[in-house]
């Protein structure tokens, strides 16, 4: 069974700190890797999408990387702000399918 | 674009009642996904459609659940009869499909079955 694990499950950091969220998967067959943000009581907002031919994507203070050989992706957040507080989810698809397998999520709190 | 639209945003119903959740896709998207999110099980894919055709419904928990896509921009998820264990947040997401398969989520419907 394919599994996607995110570590840590929860993280609390002071404002301004750089941080890394981890996503690992048991099946290295991967087509896309997408990072989402979910605010309490809200839907998921897409942050970054890494396609199979890519190794990383950047948007503002966010950088996501993908290492298929080790079955890992990381989301780097630079100069964290209280507004970054949310749950971060990664999800992967396998080649030939639309089906996303979601990770367990990391709940981030950035303290002012 | 308004994004993916879901209604109602909140639904409280009694056990045994029929519940219908609605979703409008982003214009031009051709794939539709229904998910359920609970604390215990996280996000689970229930069913997805491509070009109005159900492709994979292996995540639909029981025959009490059914989903339709009567046209290219609209879908319903029906639970009949509803049970307390169906209480969850139900999301739909749409996608343009190839090449990126990137999914865009709606705000969700919080369902409470008493």
């Amino acid at each position: 069974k394919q599994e996607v694990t995110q570590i840590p499950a929860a993280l609390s950091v002071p404002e301004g700190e750089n941080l890394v969220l981890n996503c690992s998967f048991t099946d290295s067959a991967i087509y896309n890797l997408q990072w989402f943000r979910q605010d309490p009581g809200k839907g998921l907002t897409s942050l970054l999408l890494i396609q199979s031919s890519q190794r990383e994507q950047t948007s503002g203070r966010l950088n996501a990387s993908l290492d298929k050989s080790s079955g890992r992706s990381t989301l780097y957040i630079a100069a964290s702000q209280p507004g970054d507080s949310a749950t971060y989810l990664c999800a992967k698809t396998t080649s030939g399918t639309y089906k996303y397998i979601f990770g367990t999520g990391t709940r981030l709190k950035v303290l002012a | 674009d308004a994004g993916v639209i879901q209604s109602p945003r909140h639904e409280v119903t009694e056990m045994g009642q029929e519940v219908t959740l609605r979703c409008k896709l982003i214009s031009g998207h051709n794939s539709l996904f229904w998910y359920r999110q609970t604390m215990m099980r996280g996000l689970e894919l229930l069913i997805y459609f491509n070009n109005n055709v159900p492709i994979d419904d292996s995540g639909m928990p029981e025959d009490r659940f059914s989903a339709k896509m009567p046209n290219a921009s609209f879908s319903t998820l029906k639970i009949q009869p509803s049970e307390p264990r169906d209480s969850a947040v139900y999301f739909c997401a749409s996608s343009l499909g190839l090449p990126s398969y990137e999914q865009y989520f709606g705000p969700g419907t919080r369902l409470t079955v008493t």
Side-chain angles (χ1 to χ4, degrees):
Chain A
K1 180 186 172 185
Q2 294 188 56
E3 288 188 354
V4 180
T5 306
Q6 291 186 245
I7 295 172
L11 181 63
S12 189
V13 301
E15 182 177 7
E17 193 162 298
N18 301 327
L19 59 101
V20 175
L21 306 181
N22 296 293
C23 172
S24 61
F25 25 92
T26 53
D27 180 359
S28 61
I30 184 168
Y31 188 79
N32 282 348
L33 192 291
Q34 192 167 354
W35 282 93
F36 295 88
R37 166 189 174 135
Q38 186 174 27
D39 293 282
K42 301 287 177 67
L44 279 68
T45 301
S46 178
L47 296 174
L48 291 165
L49 172 73
I50 307 176
Q51 298 187 51
S52 58
S53 59
Q54 300 170 331
R55 286 198 171 181
E56 66 177 336
Q57 284 289 327
T58 298
S59 175
R61 295 183 293 108
L62 305 180
N63 175 273
S65 65
L66 174 63
D67 183 344
K68 289 195 280 186
S69 62
S70 65
R72 297 179 70 174
S73 175
T74 60
L75 178 67
Y76 175 82
I77 302 177
S80 58
Q81 302 170 358
D84 295 330
S85 299
T87 296
Y88 290 80
L89 295 142
C90 64
K92 62 163 275 195
T93 62
T94 303
S95 178
T97 174
Y98 288 82
K99 205 165 185 173
Y100 268 70
I101 308 293
F102 276 85
T104 45
T106 293
R107 195 168 58 255
L108 172 67
K109 188 167 186 178
V110 181
L111 305 170
Chain B
D1 196 322
V4 176
I5 299 172
Q6 289 188 249
S7 64
R9 294 294 312 278
H10 302 274
E11 176 82 30
V12 180
T13 190
E14 291 184 349
M15 182 173 65
Q17 296 297 305
E18 178 179 296
V19 175
T20 299
L21 311 181
R22 297 173 177 80
C23 175
K24 185 176 185 299
L25 283 69
I26 292 174
S27 177
H29 283 194
N30 59 10
S31 298
L32 180 282
F33 308 80
W34 281 103
Y35 292 90
R36 178 171 67 177
Q37 187 176 41
T38 61
M39 288 292 291
M40 291 294 293
R41 301 172 69 94
L43 257 172
E44 303 174 280
L45 178 66
L46 300 177
I47 185 171
Y48 77 83
F49 293 83
N50 182 236
N51 292 323
N52 303 5
V53 176
I55 303 298
D56 185 343
D57 64 356
S58 59
M60 296 285 263
E62 298 169 33
D63 292 345
R64 298 184 297 107
F65 285 69
S66 63
K68 292 183 180 179
M69 207 165 166
N71 59 55
S73 61
F74 183 73
S75 177
T76 59
L77 177 68
K78 188 176 292 187
I79 308 173
Q80 166 63 22
S82 58
E83 297 182 2
R85 60 194 167 117
D86 301 331
S87 298
V89 181
Y90 290 81
F91 291 102
C92 74
S94 74
S95 171
L96 193 51
L98 289 168
S100 73
Y101 297 108
E102 186 168 5
Q103 295 187 19
Y104 298 83
F105 278 70
T109 295
R110 182 173 294 278
L111 173 65
T112 303
V113 183
T114 60

